[in-house]
Amino acid sequence: MPLVIIPARLKSERLANKPLQLIGSDPLIVHCWRRAMEADIGPVWVAGDSPAIAEVIRAQGGNAVVTGDAACGTDRVAMAARIVDPSGKHSAILNQQGDMPFLNPEHLRTFARGLAKMTEMATAYVDLKLVSIVGADFKRQTLRSHVGLYGFTRPGLERFNILGPSLREESERLEQLRAVGVLAIDFIELPHMPMEVNTLEDLAAAQQIYSLSKA
């Protein structure tokens, strides 16, 4: 049974106060927490950089912890794991990014099952089927797209955290690049790409989708 930790921070560069932005009557981070709870794969904690994030989760009856500054979401997960599970009871940690309000709980369960065979780290992906037209010919291509779900063994998570940000990670702003070529990474396929909320436009689209689902 993995320990699920959802990292969240108010200091998002593209969307200020992102975790607390409302979709319907609830903050984005609450929707993400609910998807994890619905999956029912293990204890769920939200790890925030602000008491405001913890407060909205605790108001729903959830578990939340406030960490110090972190270079990326996975570093925040490592900090939270030391706080909420200091004895290392959970050998697997699932890092669920806090920007996927409509993540299918069944897909989260699929990812969690894959962690049983994980070496050090696992990441989720979706194969996108693309069709391009070149002259009179159709060309079909497959593009592997990353999904914001990571799994770590406890030693793998500690190793990731101790490594610190790599130059490529910082230049491309992709935390998973820290692990490339260093940690053994397993890949777990999911059926489709969940929507992410990273910009005002994404937020507006998510609000519309939510409103239509309740109509």
Side-chain angles (χ1 to χ4, degrees), residues 20-31:
L20 302 182
Q21 294 288 346
L22 295 181
I23 298 176
S25 59
D26 292 312
L28 167 62
I29 191 61
V30 169
H31 288 278

Side-chain angles (χ1 to χ4, degrees), residues 68-125:
D69 291 334
C72 69
T74 300
D75 285 328
R76 192 176 307 285
V77 167
M79 296 165 69
R82 295 186 199 116
I83 295 170
V84 306
D85 185 27
S87 65
K89 173 184 175 183
H90 296 276
S91 60
I93 308 294
L94 195 159
N95 173 354
Q96 176 187 332
Q97 299 293 284
D99 55 11
M100 300 181 290
F102 309 123
L103 177 64
N104 188 323
E106 180 53 41
H107 297 172
L108 191 52
R109 286 190 283 269
T110 296
F111 183 72
R113 287 192 292 269
L115 300 186
K117 300 178 180 179
M118 172 176 56
T119 306
E120 286 185 290
M121 176 182 174
T123 186
Y125 74 94

